[in-house]
Amino acid sequence: MYLADSRSTSSAAAAPNTRSGRRPAVPGTVLALGAVSLITDISSEMVTAVLPLYVVAALGLSPLGFGLLDGINNGVGALVRLVGGHLADRGGRRHKVVAGLGYGLSALCKPLFLFVHTLPGISAVLAADRTGKGLRTAPRDAMISLATRPEHRGRAFGVHRAMDTTGALLGPLTAFAVLRATVDGYDAVFAVSGCIAALGVLVLVLFVPRRITAETAPTATADVTAGATPAATPEPAPTATPATTSATAARSATPAPSDPTLRDALALLRRPGLRRLTLCAALLGLTTVSDAFLYLLLQRELRLPAHLFPLLPLGTAAAFLLLAVPMGALADRMGRLRLFLAGHGVLLLGYCLVLARVHAAPVAVSVLVLHGAFYAATDGVLAAATSEAVPAAHQGAGQALVGTGQALARFACSLAFGAGWSLWGGRRALAVTAVALTVSALVAWAVLRRNAGTTHTRATHAEAST
């Protein structure tokens, strides 16, 4: 495991490899953060795997009531994600501190599920847990972006998401084992989950550097294109002269730029590339059915026993784990936004299979594999695309803006899908969502294609003028 002195003022991962003369594609900081996410996701997915069945079967909530809970799961974190990213960018990039607060809050919430058995109580605990997730997500992704060279960010995010998904794979298995081995299965799951979450916080404190310095700044281009990441071109060092020496001294005498304000963070949306990316992520999020609803549909269609329900996320997690790194590397080559849109096409295919009248186990397996492929092609890829749209000083806020737009949209989707299920039934609600996803994907393709065309024209003019 990668060890880092948390008291150091710069990241060991951010320094070049002095032996080889170049920096590794996946720095040690990314591996350390991946280990934290792996452990934390075991804890989170233990709860996520049993919560739908717990509130619907054990507590008797309606699909609309569960839609409210699932909306909280997706939306509350979005309300604090921008604040978390902004706080992390201030004070010399306090990314680790803010991320630690988020991980710690979520760890404290897991045992509280032992004491709440009503919809308001579960909603409050879940909201606090998701607040912790909202605080930590943007700083974590910002640390990955800052520690990795721009041309390798797709792969770095892929490695991190693969480690994160390993935890998502082990979490339901752990929950399944606890349910089978104990009498009060749900309470035991919540207790074990809290212990594992505390271990994740400990790993963050011990192995993730306190501050991370970017070796190279992100590209100066404000727009995010559908093509590959442009490589940074080093400039020759200027010859030292009395004039340049005095200028350097004058620059060093000037005060350092002030910390970015919340207004500065919101002003990032003036960048056309980031604005279009946020718009498309939110638009597609409005038609992305949550994992819990998808698993409930599969469980009811196949009439699976209740104790097998926690195993359904394993198909998604296994596919995500196998495809995350290859998809990240593919995004670096073919273009991150192209792959992001293609991933939603894969999700649409999964919806169509659920709507098929074939009630067989191979159909369920295929849906779960497509679901995992969707996440592999969109989750880390979107974060890598976002990192190229904002400067290094605003990485936390930039990641938070895109993530907030997407999470709020999924919050609305959960509420709408829960209401649609209560009114029309699950199958018809999914059919409406599939149609909406088709329209949203076409609109997003048109918006991002125009963005790519504008940037290509600008690059052509610049090349002709040189």
Side-chain angles (χ1 to χ4, degrees):
M1 176 178 286
Y2 168 74
L3 295 175
D5 184 0
S6 60
R7 297 168 296 178
S8 63
T9 58
S10 63
S11 168
N17 188 329
T18 56
R19 291 183 179 180
S20 61
R22 62 186 182 88
R23 187 176 171 184
V26 181
T29 298
V30 176
L31 300 180
L33 288 168
V36 175
S37 295
L38 187 154
I39 297 170
T40 303
D41 228 38
I42 293 176
S43 170
S44 299
E45 291 302 322
M46 286 180 66
V47 176
T48 302
V50 303
L51 193 63
L53 202 62
Y54 174 63
V55 299
V56 173
L59 302 183
L61 261 66
S62 66
L64 180 58
F66 178 71
L68 174 62
L69 280 181
D70 197 61
I72 291 174
N73 189 33
N74 285 305
V76 171
L79 299 178
V80 298
R81 187 175 298 187
L82 182 59
V83 176
H86 169 64
L87 291 177
D89 287 337
R90 291 178 61 84
R93 298 176 186 155
R94 296 188 293 246
H95 299 107
K96 179 180 177 179
V97 174
V98 178
L101 290 175
Y103 281 109
L105 179 59
S106 294
L108 290 175
C109 288
K110 298 299 190 300
L112 295 182
F113 283 107
L114 293 168
F115 308 105
V116 293
H117 305 285
T118 62
L119 178 60
I122 294 176
S123 300
V125 175
L126 192 60
D129 178 69
R130 295 299 90 183
T131 298
K133 180 176 176 60
L135 283 175
R136 70 180 184 251
T137 300
R140 180 203 65 201
D141 287 347
M143 284 190 282
I144 296 174
S145 298
L146 292 170
T148 311
R149 295 181 67 88
E151 63 269 22
H152 296 310
R153 283 174 182 165
R155 180 178 299 177
F157 276 103
V159 169
H160 174 269
R161 294 321 194 248
M163 298 180 71
D164 182 87
T165 307
T166 302
L169 189 66
L170 296 175
L173 283 174
T174 306
F176 175 74
V178 172
L179 285 175
R180 296 283 291 177
T182 58
V183 177
D184 298 325
Y186 292 117
D187 289 347
V189 167
F190 298 144
V192 174
S193 173
C195 296
I196 296 175
L199 177 62
V201 177
L202 182 62
V203 172
L204 174 74
V205 172
L206 294 178
F207 298 106
V208 175
R210 184 167 62 87
R211 294 181 65 182
I212 300 172
T213 303
E215 181 181 336
T216 56
T219 59
T221 303
D223 289 333
V224 178
T225 68
T229 307
T233 303
E235 295 183 1
T239 304
T241 64
T244 57
T245 304
S246 60
T248 303
R251 283 196 300 270
S252 61
T254 58
S258 59
D259 291 334
T261 64
L262 188 58
R263 179 178 298 179
D264 294 334
L266 295 175
L268 291 174
L269 289 176
R270 296 175 184 172
R271 295 172 170 262
L274 185 66
R275 184 171 62 247
R276 291 177 182 132
L277 184 61
T278 304
L279 173 64
C280 292
L283 182 64
L284 293 168
L286 285 171
T287 55
T288 302
V289 176
S290 72
D291 299 356
F293 271 126
L294 186 63
Y295 300 148
L296 280 174
L297 275 172
L298 288 176
Q299 191 263 344
R300 294 194 175 190
E301 290 294 330
L302 297 178
R303 297 177 178 85
L304 296 175
H307 70 274
L308 294 181
F309 184 84
L311 298 181
L312 290 179
L314 294 181
T316 297
F320 192 0
L321 175 62
L322 293 175
L323 296 174
V325 176
M327 287 291 187
L330 180 62
D332 287 337
R333 293 195 301 269
M334 68 170 284
R336 291 157 187 167
L337 298 184
R338 288 194 185 102
L339 189 61
F340 179 70
L341 292 176
H344 285 84
V346 171
L347 179 64
L348 180 61
L349 180 58
Y351 288 173
C352 293
L353 286 180
V354 175
L355 293 172
R357 294 287 181 177
V358 181
H359 299 164
V363 174
V365 172
S366 300
V367 170
L368 296 176
V369 171
L370 290 172
H371 198 218
F374 156 71
Y375 278 119
T378 58
D379 189 18
V381 172
L382 178 62
T386 303
S387 69
E388 296 303 321
V390 291
H394 295 284
Q395 279 293 320
Q399 296 286 348
L401 280 171
V402 177
T404 296
Q406 185 183 57
L408 287 177
R410 291 183 176 180
F411 170 77
C413 181
S414 291
L415 293 179
F417 192 85
W421 189 330
S422 298
L423 292 174
W424 310 320
R427 180 180 292 274
R428 183 172 297 181
L430 185 62
V432 173
T433 305
V435 174
L437 176 58
T438 304
V439 176
S440 298
L442 291 175
V443 173
W445 176 77
V447 171
L448 295 177
R449 184 187 180 198
R450 188 179 105 185
N451 181 44
T454 302
T455 306
H456 176 72
T457 302
R458 190 179 303 151
T460 303
H461 290 164
E463 182 179 355
S465 62
T466 58

